[in-house]
Amino acid sequence: ISLSGPLLLMAGQDRQVVMNAMAYLPAAALGIIPSLLFTTLRGLTVGLKQPGPITIITTCAVLGKIVLNSGLLYMLQAGWIHATTPQLLFILGGIGSLEFTLMALALWLSCRRNLGWYLRRPRWLTVKSPVFRETLSQGIPIGISYGVEAGLFTGVALLIGHFGPTALAAHHIANQCVFMTFMMAVGLSHASSIRVGEAAGSGDLREAKRLGRQGMLIGMIPMTLTATLYF
């Protein structure tokens, strides 16, 4: 990711935007590993019906990043510190990596205290178990679907980048508005999938179907509200 500049130029992106990205990405890329750890632990806590710590941690992280970014920009405008644009972007990328690291650490400590039994060191023999193969058979298609979704948004951003930095910035703002509209539905879908999974696991397929239809109906409520707001 840190060396993707030539590829972005080949994709027809604005040279200045690419230079700014190359100043930002080396520091931001450091946050990928803790963000993956956080994502894994988030799946564990959600699956065990304990989403409370995630809500607290992510809320604190967002507020903290707002404070850090705003404070940094204020100090720049006030002349208290001096930094070139590449230096500023590198610092902002570092703030993002620090944020992910602290989020992963906080969630790890929470899981260690409340879900310590699940964090025991796994034995290598578990890769031969039917559960492991079943997890892969379900997880890989889910991962591919997430990849296709992310690839779609990335591909659109690269297309918009042909129109210049202003269009790309406007597209990013519009994307954030789009993401915000379906976050509540995504959360409801996770809760619904857990309940459906429990019913299917206990052999009650009739209840699983009922819960699935109920989940889709409940998910339509926030989506209808956001669609109405956009309309």
Side-chain angles (χ1 to χ4, degrees):
I1 289 175
S2 301
L3 303 174
S4 59
L7 294 177
L8 292 173
L9 290 174
M10 290 174 59
Q13 303 305 295
D14 181 83
R15 180 169 294 274
Q16 186 59 50
V17 171
V18 173
M19 291 176 61
N20 290 338
M22 290 303 96
Y24 174 84
L25 285 175
L30 297 174
I32 290 180
I33 292 177
S35 71
L36 291 174
L37 174 61
F38 179 84
T39 301
T40 302
L41 294 175
R42 181 177 62 186
L44 173 68
T45 55
V46 168
L48 294 173
K49 298 181 179 180
Q50 296 190 28
I54 306 171
T55 306
I56 296 172
I57 291 170
T58 52
T59 301
C60 291
V62 170
L63 295 176
K65 191 168 185 180
I66 290 174
V67 171
L68 287 174
N69 286 358
S70 300
L72 178 63
L73 294 175
Y74 177 79
M75 287 188 289
L76 279 170
Q77 292 174 347
W80 296 350
I81 60 174
H82 300 280
T84 63
T85 298
Q87 291 172 337
L88 174 62
L89 291 169
F90 184 84
I91 294 172
L92 291 173
I95 290 175
S97 293
L98 176 63
E99 176 190 40
F100 274 125
T101 302
L102 294 176
M103 289 172 66
L105 178 61
L107 189 53
W108 169 263
L109 293 175
S110 174
C111 291
R112 187 177 179 182
R113 184 182 65 181
N114 301 319
L115 306 171
W117 187 87
Y118 296 94
L119 299 180
R120 294 186 304 174
R121 181 179 298 174
R123 295 179 300 171
W124 287 112
L125 292 176
T126 56
V127 300
K128 299 180 180 179
S129 69
V131 174
F132 182 81
R133 291 193 295 270
E134 184 180 354
T135 301
L136 282 182
S137 67
Q138 296 179 5
I140 290 176
I142 294 173
I144 292 174
S145 68
Y146 276 124
V148 170
E149 178 186 345
L152 172 65
F153 283 106
T154 303
V156 172
L158 291 174
L159 289 174
I160 298 295
H162 284 263
F163 296 98
T166 303
L168 190 60
H171 171 73
H172 182 68
I173 294 171
N175 249 4
Q176 292 303 308
C177 294
V178 171
F179 287 138
M180 290 173 63
T181 59
F182 60 78
M183 283 300 103
M184 187 62 67
V186 169
L188 291 169
S189 74
H190 287 175
S192 179
S193 66
I194 292 170
R195 299 194 65 199
V196 170
E198 289 179 339
S202 64
D204 192 349
L205 297 182
R206 182 177 180 181
E207 178 68 4
K209 292 179 181 179
R210 186 188 71 83
L211 290 170
R213 290 192 294 267
Q214 183 186 73
M216 287 187 283
L217 179 62
I218 295 174
M220 288 176 61
I221 296 174
M223 293 311 299
T224 301
L225 293 175
T226 53
T228 302
L229 178 63
Y230 271 120
F231 183 77

